Amino acid sequence: VQADGTDGNCVTFVLHDEDHTLGNSLRYMVMKNPDVEFCGYCITHPSESKINFRIQTRGSLPAVEPFRKGLNDLMGVCQHVLNTFEVSLLPQELRD
Amino acid sequence: QGFRVDVVREEEDALEFDMVGIDAAIANAFRRILLAEVPTMAVEKVFVYNNTSIVQDEILAHRLGLIPIRADPRLFEYRNQGDEEGTEIDTLQFQLKIKCSRNPQAAKESSDPNELYINHKVYSKHMTWVPLGNQPDLFPDADFRPVHDDILIAQLRPGQEIDVLMHCVKGIGKDHAKFSPVATASYRLLPDITLLQPVEDEAAELLQKCFSPGVIEVQNIKGKKVARVANARLDTFSREVFRHESLKNLVRLARVRNHYIFSVESTGILPPDVLVSEAIKILMGKCQRFLNELDSVPME
């Protein structure tokens, strides 16, 4: 993970060993944040597996915050999906 | 947040379930992970001691790699980068040793190879597990073998033999497709068919024929035949209805935006519900990895 940018508000994260799988879902989670003015990702070259993930925030919020929040939110969604899925696998009698 | 998962159909190797209230990005992430990032065990290195069959060494090795191995990948570790030998926590060893010979009891004029030769077809059931190190103690009840016993690997004639030793390692589908645990994993959106105006009589019959069977139901209300959408889920969206001028404006075809119908078909290594759970955990693991990196790397 590397970051560089003009000031704390717009940061480009370079995520290694990642592709659309994490990039698109993370972008979706970060976009839900109202503080984020711009969020996008791109794959620099298809032969290299790394993505450029850019976040620009409104106001003076450091860009790391929406990134961290997006990751946490994505984990929360996954956990919720996992719980719901496992509950739905149980037979009808065990549910209540 | 209004999210629902319903398991529709569950068979031994295939699972069909619905996810409602999720977004396309996350549904696609799950599908991609199911295909390419859930780890399995597969044959990686084949040590050929003797191969006098007509199947070339590399073709034989390629075929052996594609055979699904019934071994829970969660019990094993990944092999380290430069490690050639393989230790007992990351490698499974299999042996295939078979020799074809002529059957002395065959009838004089028979031409059936099943009768003439012994062991002329090499199946995956001839692969035997060779425990390494303390593997017999670690897995006392385990029975590591290929998922299917009747995969034909090669054919032999008398005098030919195959003697190979195979190392199985843990890998992911991104590296090589043989490590993919699903035969296929796909999703589609639930179709949403609305009839803009009531459709009656012959038009109703025609409408029923335009869609897949079971989608449109023609009911008899007060002596007139009226069409009704019975089960939109079965539709394959062939858009046949737009070819008929009379019906084109009466129907609106759309998709329900956040109702995904997932269909996961496993190769038999792990049951499909376990595969989906593993995929979700892998996505969580990826997020956790970046969170840890964020915390450990100081921001300038």
Side-chain angles (χ1 to χ4, degrees):
Chain A
V1 174
Q2 294 162 18
D4 51 60
T6 48
D7 49 23
N9 291 356
C10 16
V11 178
T12 303
F13 298 93
V14 178
L15 307 177
H16 292 274
D17 280 339
E18 285 302 330
D19 57 355
H20 301 287
T21 307
L22 190 65
N24 199 20
S25 32
L26 190 56
R27 178 196 61 81
Y28 168 74
M29 292 282 71
V30 174
M31 285 295 275
K32 293 201 153 216
N33 193 339
D35 288 329
V36 168
E37 190 185 341
F38 172 82
C39 168
Y41 80 100
C42 66
I43 300 200
T44 37
H45 192 277
S47 316
E48 309 174 332
S49 103
K50 64 179 185 174
I51 63 176
N52 281 358
F53 195 90
R54 187 174 171 85
I55 300 184
Q56 235 168 279
T57 56
R58 246 188 275 281
S60 57
L61 194 64
V64 191
E65 279 316 302
F67 187 56
R68 196 188 296 265
K69 187 169 184 307
L71 281 171
N72 280 322
D73 288 343
L74 190 57
M75 278 192 55
V77 166
C78 291
Q79 188 64 49
H80 182 67
V81 170
L82 189 61
N83 293 341
T84 322
F85 182 70
E86 302 207 322
V87 163
S88 72
L89 283 178
L90 298 172
Q92 201 62 36
E93 310 89 53
L94 292 182
R95 296 191 215 185
D96 51 61
Chain B
Q1 318 113 335
F3 175 74
R4 215 174 76 223
V5 174
D6 305 312
V7 174
V8 168
R9 192 177 64 227
E10 187 169 344
E11 291 150 26
E12 218 178 83
D13 281 339
L15 177 70
E16 188 176 317
F17 65 97
D18 286 8
M19 275 211 231
V20 187
I22 203 175
D23 184 70
I26 318 224
N28 197 29
F30 287 144
R31 183 192 63 86
R32 286 175 71 103
I33 294 182
L34 273 170
L35 277 175
E37 300 198 32
V38 180
T40 57
M41 304 283 293
V43 173
E44 174 92 7
K45 275 195 157 49
V46 173
F47 299 96
V48 180
Y49 291 113
N50 190 358
N51 176 21
T52 40
S53 71
I54 31 173
V55 179
Q56 295 91 345
D57 289 345
E58 61 269 17
I59 307 292
L60 184 66
H62 182 238
R63 287 177 72 89
L64 288 169
L66 291 173
I67 298 174
I69 308 279
R70 186 194 300 280
D72 192 340
R74 295 170 287 186
L75 300 170
F76 294 93
E77 304 285 328
Y78 287 101
R79 193 183 267 199
N80 294 323
Q81 275 287 356
D83 194 3
E84 287 297 324
E85 281 295 318
T87 64
E88 48 230 10
I89 51 165
D90 59 31
T91 310
L92 268 183
Q93 216 176 38
F94 283 88
Q95 191 181 41
L96 178 65
K97 201 176 158 80
I98 191 163
K99 191 176 162 69
C100 178
S101 50
R102 201 177 286 273
N103 186 2
Q105 286 121 13
K108 231 19 164 80
E109 289 91 20
S110 86
S111 57
D112 179 18
N114 289 332
E115 226 186 84
L116 279 176
Y117 312 121
I118 307 178
N119 280 346
H120 74 288
K121 281 195 185 166
V122 181
Y123 287 104
S124 52
K125 67 173 184 263
H126 295 128
M127 281 168 64
T128 51
W129 176 44
V130 176
L132 267 182
N134 64 348
Q135 275 178 352
D137 310 315
L138 282 177
F139 315 113
D141 315 309
D143 172 31
F144 295 123
R145 55 187 172 76
V147 175
H148 305 281
D149 280 336
D150 51 357
I151 301 177
L152 182 65
I153 302 177
Q155 288 203 21
L156 301 174
R157 285 294 179 263
Q160 296 178 345
E161 73 175 284
I162 295 182
D163 182 8
V164 300
L165 193 67
M166 294 167 263
H167 279 192
C168 265
V169 294
K170 182 167 164 178
I172 57 175
K174 252 206 243 187
D175 178 28
H176 193 287
K178 71 190 178 201
F179 293 115
S180 179
V182 291
T184 187
S186 63
Y187 67 85
R188 61 189 176 104
L189 282 129
L190 181 74
D192 183 22
I193 306 173
T194 34
L195 298 175
L196 298 168
Q197 296 164 30
V199 181
E200 300 171 351
D201 292 332
E202 299 88 20
E205 294 283 327
L206 189 59
L207 195 70
Q208 194 180 36
K209 288 205 191 68
C210 287
F211 288 97
S212 314
V215 176
I216 298 270
E217 189 184 50
V218 175
Q219 285 174 329
N220 229 320
I221 300 183
K222 298 190 210 154
K224 271 199 301 200
K225 289 194 245 174
V226 179
R228 192 178 74 85
V229 178
N231 190 356
R233 201 193 160 85
L234 300 169
D235 189 35
T236 50
F237 247 68
S238 65
R239 303 175 84 89
E240 169 81 16
V241 69
F242 292 126
R243 290 181 54 204
H244 300 270
E245 282 302 321
S246 54
L247 299 176
K248 224 164 45 167
N249 300 321
L250 302 176
V251 178
R252 188 177 64 204
L253 286 179
R255 299 268 190 192
V256 179
R257 287 249 341 240
N258 55 0
H259 186 136
Y260 292 86
I261 303 175
F262 274 81
S263 163
V264 178
E265 213 180 284
S266 157
T267 48
I269 304 177
L270 287 172
D273 42 347
V274 173
L275 282 176
V276 177
S277 309
E278 284 297 305
I280 304 177
K281 287 181 200 154
I282 287 177
L283 188 56
M284 283 203 296
K286 281 185 192 256
C287 297
Q288 189 63 49
R289 190 165 72 106
F290 283 112
L291 275 173
N292 295 341
E293 286 249 14
L294 256 190
D295 294 331
S296 64
V297 171
M299 290 284 122
E300 319 100 27

